[in-house]
Amino acid sequence: MRAPTISPISRLLIGCTALASITISSLSQADTLAKIKENSSVRIGYANETPFAYTATDGSVTGESPEIVEKIFQRLGIETINPVLTEWGSLIPGLRASRFDLIAAGMYITPERCKQVLFTDPHYQLPDTLLVKTGNPKNLRSYEDIANNPDAKLAIMSGTVNLAYARKAGIKDSQIVQVPDTTSQLQAVRTGRADAAIGTQLTMKGLAEKAGDQVEATTDFKDDPAHTGYGALAFRPQDKALRDAVNAELKKWLGSEEHLKTVEPFGFDRSNVTDKTAEELCSA
């Protein structure tokens, strides 16, 4: 059968449609950045997780990620940061629904998340550890220890990468207690609803300090080095211009004395700085 022919007029129309589509896409990318600059304000989505992003006792929002956002957007000429509190598992849906302009919650870059959002290059690297009752009565020091003890239960914050890691290690769903935030993880361990909680080293240490002598963060957690977390800011896929502008400022600023002074109160130091890129982490 002869292939259908396309008239010159049709070709012109197809070409104009494609060009219009590209132009609209480019405008939409530039529009978010332009709107933020025009209003001199940006909306950030965060979930309460110390030390990454959380509501302080005075009602202000702080943490490693919001403080970095404030410094970087100041460099872009934006003065006002409007925080939007969201449960962790709703951060990406909330971003994609335009409830806020970016996620500033220390979110790890993973290939699966890269299909849904655009990440900056990471602004920290961090391993995980367990939160357990003082003395670690069930001797839990790895995902495998929990998998090998059918009576052990692990509290995991919904929407985190730890759920996939736990299942891959052989932990059954009946052993997993999914909770909405880190405060619920602490409560689960305190009350015996879970024997351990999993999260970043800094988060678990912070929870242990908050709980006094009831719980402790393990110091000898055995984990796959590939599970090291790389946290970054996340943007809608159509906001590449905004992501690129932020990423350019981050590249110049990360590792500087001002950066290290900004994140020091949250337990971060030069050892958390990484030269990994979002591109390599997304394709891992």
Side-chain angles (χ1 to χ4, degrees), residues 134-184:
T134 301
N136 197 1
K138 289 197 174 176
N139 199 28
L140 304 174
R141 289 180 169 80
S142 66
Y143 285 113
E144 288 72 23
D145 286 344
I146 297 166
N148 292 332
N149 184 341
D151 295 328
K153 292 189 181 293
L154 179 66
I156 299 176
M157 192 162 70
S158 298
T160 61
V161 295
N162 302 105
L163 183 59
Y165 295 159
R167 286 171 172 162
K168 187 175 180 181
I171 298 174
K172 297 180 175 63
D173 282 354
S174 60
Q175 295 177 268
I176 295 171
V177 179
Q178 291 197 56
V179 296
D181 51 40
T182 57
T183 301
S184 301

mmCIF file of all heavy atoms in Angstrom, residues 134-184:
data_model
loop_
_atom_site.group_PDB
_atom_site.id
_atom_site.type_symbol
_atom_site.label_atom_id
_atom_site.label_comp_id
_atom_site.label_asym_id
_atom_site.label_seq_id
_atom_site.Cartn_x
_atom_site.Cartn_y
_atom_site.Cartn_z
ATOM 1 N N THR A 134 16.330 1.437 74.878
ATOM 2 C CA THR A 134 17.652 1.495 75.493
ATOM 3 C C THR A 134 18.157 0.084 75.810
ATOM 4 O O THR A 134 17.429 -0.736 76.379
ATOM 5 C CB THR A 134 17.607 2.331 76.784
ATOM 6 O OG1 THR A 134 17.148 3.648 76.453
ATOM 7 C CG2 THR A 134 18.969 2.427 77.427
ATOM 8 N N GLY A 135 19.386 -0.173 75.392
ATOM 9 C CA GLY A 135 19.970 -1.493 75.582
ATOM 10 C C GLY A 135 19.749 -2.422 74.408
ATOM 11 O O GLY A 135 20.307 -3.517 74.354
ATOM 12 N N ASN A 136 18.922 -1.988 73.446
ATOM 13 C CA ASN A 136 18.648 -2.778 72.233
ATOM 14 C C ASN A 136 18.311 -4.234 72.585
ATOM 15 O O ASN A 136 19.027 -5.170 72.200
ATOM 16 C CB ASN A 136 19.855 -2.717 71.294
ATOM 17 C CG ASN A 136 19.523 -3.154 69.868
ATOM 18 O OD1 ASN A 136 18.369 -3.485 69.556
ATOM 19 N ND2 ASN A 136 20.531 -3.171 69.014
ATOM 20 N N PRO A 137 17.196 -4.447 73.331
ATOM 21 C CA PRO A 137 16.890 -5.777 73.861
ATOM 22 C C PRO A 137 16.793 -6.894 72.834
ATOM 23 O O PRO A 137 17.059 -8.055 73.159
ATOM 24 C CB PRO A 137 15.544 -5.571 74.585
ATOM 25 C CG PRO A 137 15.014 -4.267 74.090
ATOM 26 C CD PRO A 137 16.190 -3.450 73.731
ATOM 27 N N LYS A 138 16.432 -6.596 71.608
ATOM 28 C CA LYS A 138 16.336 -7.651 70.590
ATOM 29 C C LYS A 138 17.582 -7.726 69.707
ATOM 30 O O LYS A 138 17.611 -8.460 68.732
ATOM 31 C CB LYS A 138 15.077 -7.466 69.743
ATOM 32 C CG LYS A 138 13.796 -7.782 70.532
ATOM 33 C CD LYS A 138 12.608 -8.014 69.637
ATOM 34 C CE LYS A 138 11.414 -8.477 70.495
ATOM 35 N NZ LYS A 138 10.187 -8.628 69.692
ATOM 36 N N ASN A 139 18.604 -6.953 70.082
ATOM 37 C CA ASN A 139 19.896 -7.015 69.389
ATOM 38 C C ASN A 139 19.731 -6.806 67.870
ATOM 39 O O ASN A 139 20.212 -7.591 67.055
ATOM 40 C CB ASN A 139 20.571 -8.366 69.672
ATOM 41 C CG ASN A 139 22.066 -8.335 69.379
ATOM 42 O OD1 ASN A 139 22.705 -7.284 69.467
ATOM 43 N ND2 ASN A 139 22.621 -9.477 69.015
ATOM 44 N N LEU A 140 19.077 -5.718 67.498
ATOM 45 C CA LEU A 140 18.809 -5.413 66.089
ATOM 46 C C LEU A 140 19.847 -4.426 65.574
ATOM 47 O O LEU A 140 19.942 -3.301 66.083
ATOM 48 C CB LEU A 140 17.396 -4.836 65.947
ATOM 49 C CG LEU A 140 16.257 -5.714 66.503
ATOM 50 C CD1 LEU A 140 14.938 -4.981 66.429
ATOM 51 C CD2 LEU A 140 16.199 -7.059 65.774
ATOM 52 N N ARG A 141 20.605 -4.841 64.572
ATOM 53 C CA ARG A 141 21.669 -3.992 64.040
ATOM 54 C C ARG A 141 21.685 -3.933 62.515
ATOM 55 O O ARG A 141 22.624 -3.410 61.925
ATOM 56 C CB ARG A 141 23.033 -4.465 64.561
ATOM 57 C CG ARG A 141 23.218 -4.176 66.047
ATOM 58 C CD ARG A 141 24.559 -4.637 66.589
ATOM 59 N NE ARG A 141 24.759 -4.097 67.931
ATOM 60 C CZ ARG A 141 24.210 -4.609 69.030
ATOM 61 N NH1 ARG A 141 23.426 -5.688 68.942
ATOM 62 N NH2 ARG A 141 24.435 -4.048 70.210
ATOM 63 N N SER A 142 20.642 -4.485 61.888
ATOM 64 C CA SER A 142 20.557 -4.468 60.432
ATOM 65 C C SER A 142 19.141 -4.844 60.012
ATOM 66 O O SER A 142 18.351 -5.354 60.821
ATOM 67 C CB SER A 142 21.545 -5.469 59.813
ATOM 68 O OG SER A 142 21.175 -6.806 60.151
ATOM 69 N N TYR A 143 18.820 -4.592 58.745
ATOM 70 C CA TYR A 143 17.531 -5.047 58.214
ATOM 71 C C TYR A 143 17.434 -6.575 58.331
ATOM 72 O O TYR A 143 16.372 -7.120 58.646
ATOM 73 C CB TYR A 143 17.407 -4.662 56.742
ATOM 74 C CG TYR A 143 17.116 -3.206 56.469
ATOM 75 C CD1 TYR A 143 18.056 -2.392 55.841
ATOM 76 C CD2 TYR A 143 15.883 -2.643 56.792
ATOM 77 C CE1 TYR A 143 17.783 -1.056 55.555
ATOM 78 C CE2 TYR A 143 15.594 -1.314 56.512
ATOM 79 C CZ TYR A 143 16.557 -0.528 55.890
ATOM 80 O OH TYR A 143 16.281 0.798 55.606
ATOM 81 N N GLU A 144 18.552 -7.251 58.087
ATOM 82 C CA GLU A 144 18.559 -8.712 58.114
ATOM 83 C C GLU A 144 18.249 -9.251 59.508
ATOM 84 O O GLU A 144 17.567 -10.272 59.641
ATOM 85 C CB GLU A 144 19.913 -9.239 57.623
ATOM 86 C CG GLU A 144 20.150 -9.077 56.120
ATOM 87 C CD GLU A 144 20.394 -7.638 55.687
ATOM 88 O OE1 GLU A 144 20.814 -6.801 56.539
ATOM 89 O OE2 GLU A 144 20.146 -7.322 54.502
ATOM 90 N N ASP A 145 18.734 -8.564 60.553
ATOM 91 C CA ASP A 145 18.428 -8.982 61.925
ATOM 92 C C ASP A 145 16.921 -8.976 62.159
ATOM 93 O O ASP A 145 16.373 -9.859 62.828
ATOM 94 C CB ASP A 145 19.104 -8.050 62.943
ATOM 95 C CG ASP A 145 20.603 -8.275 63.045
ATOM 96 O OD1 ASP A 145 21.078 -9.327 62.579
ATOM 97 O OD2 ASP A 145 21.291 -7.390 63.598
ATOM 98 N N ILE A 146 16.253 -7.979 61.608
ATOM 99 C CA ILE A 146 14.795 -7.880 61.778
ATOM 100 C C ILE A 146 14.101 -8.957 60.944
ATOM 101 O O ILE A 146 13.170 -9.620 61.410
ATOM 102 C CB ILE A 146 14.305 -6.471 61.387
ATOM 103 C CG1 ILE A 146 14.930 -5.431 62.322
ATOM 104 C CG2 ILE A 146 12.775 -6.384 61.436
ATOM 105 C CD1 ILE A 146 14.802 -4.004 61.854
ATOM 106 N N ALA A 147 14.579 -9.168 59.720
ATOM 107 C CA ALA A 147 13.984 -10.190 58.851
ATOM 108 C C ALA A 147 14.108 -11.578 59.471
ATOM 109 O O ALA A 147 13.203 -12.420 59.323
ATOM 110 C CB ALA A 147 14.660 -10.165 57.484
ATOM 111 N N ASN A 148 15.219 -11.809 60.180
ATOM 112 C CA ASN A 148 15.468 -13.136 60.765
ATOM 113 C C ASN A 148 14.763 -13.340 62.104
ATOM 114 O O ASN A 148 14.842 -14.425 62.680
ATOM 115 C CB ASN A 148 16.982 -13.355 60.945
ATOM 116 C CG ASN A 148 17.699 -13.458 59.608
ATOM 117 O OD1 ASN A 148 17.106 -13.876 58.611
ATOM 118 N ND2 ASN A 148 18.965 -13.065 59.579
ATOM 119 N N ASN A 149 14.106 -12.304 62.601
ATOM 120 C CA ASN A 149 13.365 -12.423 63.854
ATOM 121 C C ASN A 149 11.892 -12.116 63.569
ATOM 122 O O ASN A 149 11.480 -10.967 63.531
ATOM 123 C CB ASN A 149 13.912 -11.439 64.897
ATOM 124 C CG ASN A 149 13.239 -11.596 66.254
ATOM 125 O OD1 ASN A 149 12.150 -12.159 66.350
ATOM 126 N ND2 ASN A 149 13.874 -11.068 67.289
ATOM 127 N N PRO A 150 11.062 -13.146 63.349
ATOM 128 C CA PRO A 150 9.669 -12.924 62.948
ATOM 129 C C PRO A 150 8.854 -12.124 63.954
ATOM 130 O O PRO A 150 7.815 -11.570 63.614
ATOM 131 C CB PRO A 150 9.095 -14.338 62.813
ATOM 132 C CG PRO A 150 10.203 -15.297 63.065
ATOM 133 C CD PRO A 150 11.423 -14.535 63.496
ATOM 134 N N ASP A 151 9.328 -12.047 65.212
ATOM 135 C CA ASP A 151 8.601 -11.291 66.238
ATOM 136 C C ASP A 151 8.973 -9.802 66.235
ATOM 137 O O ASP A 151 8.308 -9.003 66.900
ATOM 138 C CB ASP A 151 8.895 -11.862 67.636
ATOM 139 C CG ASP A 151 8.364 -13.279 67.796
ATOM 140 O OD1 ASP A 151 7.322 -13.586 67.179
ATOM 141 O OD2 ASP A 151 8.994 -14.073 68.523
ATOM 142 N N ALA A 152 10.026 -9.444 65.511
ATOM 143 C CA ALA A 152 10.483 -8.050 65.502
ATOM 144 C C ALA A 152 9.647 -7.213 64.544
ATOM 145 O O ALA A 152 9.303 -7.655 63.441
ATOM 146 C CB ALA A 152 11.952 -7.979 65.118
ATOM 147 N N LYS A 153 9.338 -5.993 64.968
ATOM 148 C CA LYS A 153 8.572 -5.073 64.128
ATOM 149 C C LYS A 153 9.368 -3.778 63.927
ATOM 150 O O LYS A 153 10.035 -3.291 64.846
ATOM 151 C CB LYS A 153 7.212 -4.773 64.748
ATOM 152 C CG LYS A 153 6.277 -5.989 64.767
ATOM 153 C CD LYS A 153 4.881 -5.603 65.184
ATOM 154 C CE LYS A 153 3.962 -6.827 65.236
ATOM 155 N NZ LYS A 153 3.743 -7.392 63.905
ATOM 156 N N LEU A 154 9.259 -3.236 62.723
ATOM 157 C CA LEU A 154 10.029 -2.053 62.335
ATOM 158 C C LEU A 154 9.082 -0.922 61.940
ATOM 159 O O LEU A 154 8.224 -1.091 61.071
ATOM 160 C CB LEU A 154 10.946 -2.385 61.156
ATOM 161 C CG LEU A 154 11.805 -1.254 60.594
ATOM 162 C CD1 LEU A 154 12.843 -0.786 61.615
ATOM 163 C CD2 LEU A 154 12.506 -1.706 59.306
ATOM 164 N N ALA A 155 9.242 0.239 62.578
ATOM 165 C CA ALA A 155 8.433 1.421 62.247
ATOM 166 C C ALA A 155 9.116 2.209 61.133
ATOM 167 O O ALA A 155 10.272 2.604 61.257
ATOM 168 C CB ALA A 155 8.244 2.300 63.483
ATOM 169 N N ILE A 156 8.377 2.416 60.048
ATOM 170 C CA ILE A 156 8.905 3.118 58.873
ATOM 171 C C ILE A 156 7.977 4.269 58.525
ATOM 172 O O ILE A 156 6.754 4.113 58.506
ATOM 173 C CB ILE A 156 9.018 2.166 57.658
ATOM 174 C CG1 ILE A 156 9.970 1.013 57.971
ATOM 175 C CG2 ILE A 156 9.493 2.920 56.419
ATOM 176 C CD1 ILE A 156 10.062 -0.024 56.864
ATOM 177 N N MET A 157 8.548 5.433 58.230
ATOM 178 C CA MET A 157 7.731 6.569 57.822
ATOM 179 C C MET A 157 7.251 6.354 56.394
ATOM 180 O O MET A 157 8.049 6.090 55.485
ATOM 181 C CB MET A 157 8.527 7.874 57.933
ATOM 182 C CG MET A 157 7.666 9.107 57.806
ATOM 183 S SD MET A 157 8.465 10.607 58.427
ATOM 184 C CE MET A 157 9.739 10.865 57.201
ATOM 185 N N SER A 158 5.949 6.442 56.192
ATOM 186 C CA SER A 158 5.347 6.196 54.875
ATOM 187 C C SER A 158 5.963 7.102 53.813
ATOM 188 O O SER A 158 6.201 8.284 54.044
ATOM 189 C CB SER A 158 3.836 6.437 54.930
ATOM 190 O OG SER A 158 3.221 5.552 55.814
ATOM 191 N N GLY A 159 6.216 6.522 52.637
ATOM 192 C CA GLY A 159 6.742 7.292 51.520
ATOM 193 C C GLY A 159 8.246 7.370 51.464
ATOM 194 O O GLY A 159 8.794 7.944 50.515
ATOM 195 N N THR A 160 8.947 6.789 52.449
ATOM 196 C CA THR A 160 10.414 6.832 52.440
ATOM 197 C C THR A 160 10.995 5.629 51.717
ATOM 198 O O THR A 160 10.325 4.606 51.545
ATOM 199 C CB THR A 160 10.985 6.888 53.876
ATOM 200 O OG1 THR A 160 10.576 5.705 54.579
ATOM 201 C CG2 THR A 160 10.463 8.106 54.624
ATOM 202 N N VAL A 161 12.253 5.738 51.314
ATOM 203 C CA VAL A 161 12.915 4.650 50.598
ATOM 204 C C VAL A 161 13.124 3.434 51.489
ATOM 205 O O VAL A 161 13.342 2.318 50.990
ATOM 206 C CB VAL A 161 14.288 5.113 50.043
ATOM 207 C CG1 VAL A 161 14.112 6.188 48.995
ATOM 208 C CG2 VAL A 161 15.195 5.602 51.155
ATOM 209 N N ASN A 162 13.039 3.630 52.805
ATOM 210 C CA ASN A 162 13.302 2.530 53.733
ATOM 211 C C ASN A 162 12.317 1.377 53.573
ATOM 212 O O ASN A 162 12.648 0.228 53.880
ATOM 213 C CB ASN A 162 13.274 3.034 55.177
ATOM 214 C CG ASN A 162 14.278 4.127 55.413
ATOM 215 O OD1 ASN A 162 13.893 5.287 55.511
ATOM 216 N ND2 ASN A 162 15.560 3.798 55.490
ATOM 217 N N LEU A 163 11.122 1.654 53.106
ATOM 218 C CA LEU A 163 10.129 0.598 52.918
ATOM 219 C C LEU A 163 10.626 -0.412 51.878
ATOM 220 O O LEU A 163 10.563 -1.625 52.098
ATOM 221 C CB LEU A 163 8.795 1.199 52.488
ATOM 222 C CG LEU A 163 7.632 0.210 52.325
ATOM 223 C CD1 LEU A 163 7.359 -0.535 53.625
ATOM 224 C CD2 LEU A 163 6.378 0.952 51.857
ATOM 225 N N ALA A 164 11.145 0.087 50.768
ATOM 226 C CA ALA A 164 11.667 -0.806 49.726
ATOM 227 C C ALA A 164 12.894 -1.560 50.226
ATOM 228 O O ALA A 164 13.057 -2.756 49.941
ATOM 229 C CB ALA A 164 12.013 -0.002 48.472
ATOM 230 N N TYR A 165 13.768 -0.879 50.973
ATOM 231 C CA TYR A 165 14.964 -1.539 51.510
ATOM 232 C C TYR A 165 14.576 -2.672 52.462
ATOM 233 O O TYR A 165 15.171 -3.757 52.429
ATOM 234 C CB TYR A 165 15.840 -0.538 52.269
ATOM 235 C CG TYR A 165 16.437 0.573 51.426
ATOM 236 C CD1 TYR A 165 16.875 1.759 52.028
ATOM 237 C CD2 TYR A 165 16.575 0.454 50.040
ATOM 238 C CE1 TYR A 165 17.428 2.792 51.270
ATOM 239 C CE2 TYR A 165 17.124 1.474 49.284
ATOM 240 C CZ TYR A 165 17.544 2.641 49.910
ATOM 241 O OH TYR A 165 18.102 3.654 49.158
ATOM 242 N N ALA A 166 13.579 -2.408 53.304
ATOM 243 C CA ALA A 166 13.147 -3.420 54.278
ATOM 244 C C ALA A 166 12.584 -4.646 53.568
ATOM 245 O O ALA A 166 12.936 -5.790 53.904
ATOM 246 C CB ALA A 166 12.098 -2.824 55.216
ATOM 247 N N ARG A 167 11.735 -4.434 52.590
ATOM 248 C CA ARG A 167 11.138 -5.559 51.858
ATOM 249 C C ARG A 167 12.201 -6.343 51.099
ATOM 250 O O ARG A 167 12.158 -7.569 51.058
ATOM 251 C CB ARG A 167 10.064 -5.035 50.909
ATOM 252 C CG ARG A 167 8.781 -4.611 51.633
ATOM 253 C CD ARG A 167 7.817 -3.906 50.713
ATOM 254 N NE ARG A 167 6.521 -3.667 51.367
ATOM 255 C CZ ARG A 167 5.634 -2.781 50.934
ATOM 256 N NH1 ARG A 167 5.898 -2.040 49.860
ATOM 257 N NH2 ARG A 167 4.484 -2.635 51.572
ATOM 258 N N LYS A 168 13.144 -5.635 50.509
ATOM 259 C CA LYS A 168 14.207 -6.308 49.764
ATOM 260 C C LYS A 168 15.056 -7.183 50.681
ATOM 261 O O LYS A 168 15.568 -8.230 50.270
ATOM 262 C CB LYS A 168 15.094 -5.271 49.058
ATOM 263 C CG LYS A 168 16.122 -5.883 48.124
ATOM 264 C CD LYS A 168 16.897 -4.818 47.371
ATOM 265 C CE LYS A 168 17.930 -5.453 46.439
ATOM 266 N NZ LYS A 168 18.721 -4.436 45.711
ATOM 267 N N ALA A 169 15.201 -6.774 51.946
ATOM 268 C CA ALA A 169 15.993 -7.543 52.917
ATOM 269 C C ALA A 169 15.215 -8.740 53.468
ATOM 270 O O ALA A 169 15.764 -9.526 54.239
ATOM 271 C CB ALA A 169 16.432 -6.638 54.065
ATOM 272 N N GLY A 170 13.943 -8.864 53.074
ATOM 273 C CA GLY A 170 13.162 -10.020 53.515
ATOM 274 C C GLY A 170 12.234 -9.751 54.683
ATOM 275 O O GLY A 170 11.636 -10.680 55.228
ATOM 276 N N ILE A 171 12.106 -8.491 55.088
ATOM 277 C CA ILE A 171 11.182 -8.161 56.180
ATOM 278 C C ILE A 171 9.760 -8.233 55.642
ATOM 279 O O ILE A 171 9.427 -7.599 54.627
ATOM 280 C CB ILE A 171 11.485 -6.764 56.756
ATOM 281 C CG1 ILE A 171 12.904 -6.740 57.351
ATOM 282 C CG2 ILE A 171 10.462 -6.364 57.801
ATOM 283 C CD1 ILE A 171 13.354 -5.370 57.827
ATOM 284 N N LYS A 172 8.913 -9.005 56.302
ATOM 285 C CA LYS A 172 7.531 -9.200 55.852
ATOM 286 C C LYS A 172 6.683 -7.968 56.184
ATOM 287 O O LYS A 172 6.957 -7.244 57.142
ATOM 288 C CB LYS A 172 6.927 -10.444 56.516
ATOM 289 C CG LYS A 172 7.624 -11.744 56.141
ATOM 290 C CD LYS A 172 6.967 -12.924 56.847
ATOM 291 C CE LYS A 172 7.567 -14.249 56.403
ATOM 292 N NZ LYS A 172 9.000 -14.362 56.742
ATOM 293 N N ASP A 173 5.644 -7.759 55.399
ATOM 294 C CA ASP A 173 4.751 -6.625 55.640
ATOM 295 C C ASP A 173 4.115 -6.702 57.023
ATOM 296 O O ASP A 173 3.809 -5.656 57.631
ATOM 297 C CB ASP A 173 3.658 -6.562 54.568
ATOM 298 C CG ASP A 173 4.174 -5.963 53.258
ATOM 299 O OD1 ASP A 173 5.331 -5.500 53.234
ATOM 300 O OD2 ASP A 173 3.428 -5.955 52.272
ATOM 301 N N SER A 174 3.921 -7.911 57.524
ATOM 302 C CA SER A 174 3.339 -8.068 58.863
ATOM 303 C C SER A 174 4.284 -7.573 59.964
ATOM 304 O O SER A 174 3.859 -7.344 61.097
ATOM 305 C CB SER A 174 2.989 -9.540 59.112
ATOM 306 O OG SER A 174 4.155 -10.352 59.013
ATOM 307 N N GLN A 175 5.576 -7.400 59.615
ATOM 308 C CA GLN A 175 6.551 -6.890 60.583
ATOM 309 C C GLN A 175 6.741 -5.380 60.466
ATOM 310 O O GLN A 175 7.466 -4.788 61.259
ATOM 311 C CB GLN A 175 7.920 -7.557 60.357
ATOM 312 C CG GLN A 175 7.956 -9.054 60.609
ATOM 313 C CD GLN A 175 9.340 -9.600 60.283
ATOM 314 O OE1 GLN A 175 9.591 -10.043 59.156
ATOM 315 N NE2 GLN A 175 10.241 -9.565 61.250
ATOM 316 N N ILE A 176 6.116 -4.780 59.460
ATOM 317 C CA ILE A 176 6.321 -3.355 59.176
ATOM 318 C C ILE A 176 5.151 -2.535 59.715
ATOM 319 O O ILE A 176 3.984 -2.836 59.459
ATOM 320 C CB ILE A 176 6.481 -3.122 57.661
ATOM 321 C CG1 ILE A 176 7.774 -3.798 57.163
ATOM 322 C CG2 ILE A 176 6.494 -1.628 57.345
ATOM 323 C CD1 ILE A 176 7.922 -3.806 55.655
ATOM 324 N N VAL A 177 5.490 -1.499 60.488
ATOM 325 C CA VAL A 177 4.493 -0.567 61.007
ATOM 326 C C VAL A 177 4.710 0.764 60.279
ATOM 327 O O VAL A 177 5.691 1.458 60.531
ATOM 328 C CB VAL A 177 4.651 -0.367 62.531
ATOM 329 C CG1 VAL A 177 3.613 0.617 63.051
ATOM 330 C CG2 VAL A 177 4.551 -1.699 63.262
ATOM 331 N N GLN A 178 3.819 1.100 59.350
ATOM 332 C CA GLN A 178 3.960 2.354 58.623
ATOM 333 C C GLN A 178 3.291 3.480 59.406
ATOM 334 O O GLN A 178 2.157 3.353 59.860
ATOM 335 C CB GLN A 178 3.341 2.255 57.228
ATOM 336 C CG GLN A 178 4.118 1.343 56.284
ATOM 337 C CD GLN A 178 3.752 1.578 54.830
ATOM 338 O OE1 GLN A 178 3.840 2.700 54.329
ATOM 339 N NE2 GLN A 178 3.354 0.506 54.149
ATOM 340 N N VAL A 179 4.027 4.582 59.553
ATOM 341 C CA VAL A 179 3.532 5.738 60.319
ATOM 342 C C VAL A 179 3.737 7.016 59.500
ATOM 343 O O VAL A 179 4.566 7.039 58.588
ATOM 344 C CB VAL A 179 4.245 5.846 61.687
ATOM 345 C CG1 VAL A 179 3.925 4.644 62.562
ATOM 346 C CG2 VAL A 179 5.757 5.982 61.494
ATOM 347 N N PRO A 180 3.005 8.099 59.824
ATOM 348 C CA PRO A 180 3.085 9.305 58.991
ATOM 349 C C PRO A 180 4.283 10.204 59.222
ATOM 350 O O PRO A 180 4.649 10.990 58.346
ATOM 351 C CB PRO A 180 1.784 10.053 59.339
ATOM 352 C CG PRO A 180 1.468 9.615 60.725
ATOM 353 C CD PRO A 180 1.922 8.188 60.817
ATOM 354 N N ASP A 181 4.926 10.110 60.399
ATOM 355 C CA ASP A 181 6.021 11.038 60.683
ATOM 356 C C ASP A 181 6.970 10.453 61.728
ATOM 357 O O ASP A 181 6.730 9.363 62.265
ATOM 358 C CB ASP A 181 5.484 12.399 61.159
ATOM 359 C CG ASP A 181 4.476 12.262 62.298
ATOM 360 O OD1 ASP A 181 4.694 11.418 63.194
ATOM 361 O OD2 ASP A 181 3.466 12.991 62.285
ATOM 362 N N THR A 182 8.034 11.183 62.008
ATOM 363 C CA THR A 182 9.058 10.673 62.923
ATOM 364 C C THR A 182 8.583 10.655 64.372
ATOM 365 O O THR A 182 9.008 9.805 65.150
ATOM 366 C CB THR A 182 10.354 11.502 62.817
ATOM 367 O OG1 THR A 182 10.061 12.882 63.075
ATOM 368 C CG2 THR A 182 10.963 11.377 61.438
ATOM 369 N N THR A 183 7.710 11.583 64.735
ATOM 370 C CA THR A 183 7.155 11.561 66.101
ATOM 371 C C THR A 183 6.400 10.254 66.330
ATOM 372 O O THR A 183 6.486 9.647 67.406
ATOM 373 C CB THR A 183 6.215 12.767 66.326
ATOM 374 O OG1 THR A 183 6.953 13.973 66.125
ATOM 375 C CG2 THR A 183 5.638 12.754 67.728
ATOM 376 N N SER A 184 5.696 9.794 65.312
ATOM 377 C CA SER A 184 4.967 8.522 65.408
ATOM 378 C C SER A 184 5.937 7.341 65.470
ATOM 379 O O SER A 184 5.645 6.328 66.119
ATOM 380 C CB SER A 184 4.032 8.365 64.212
ATOM 381 O OG SER A 184 3.105 9.424 64.149
#
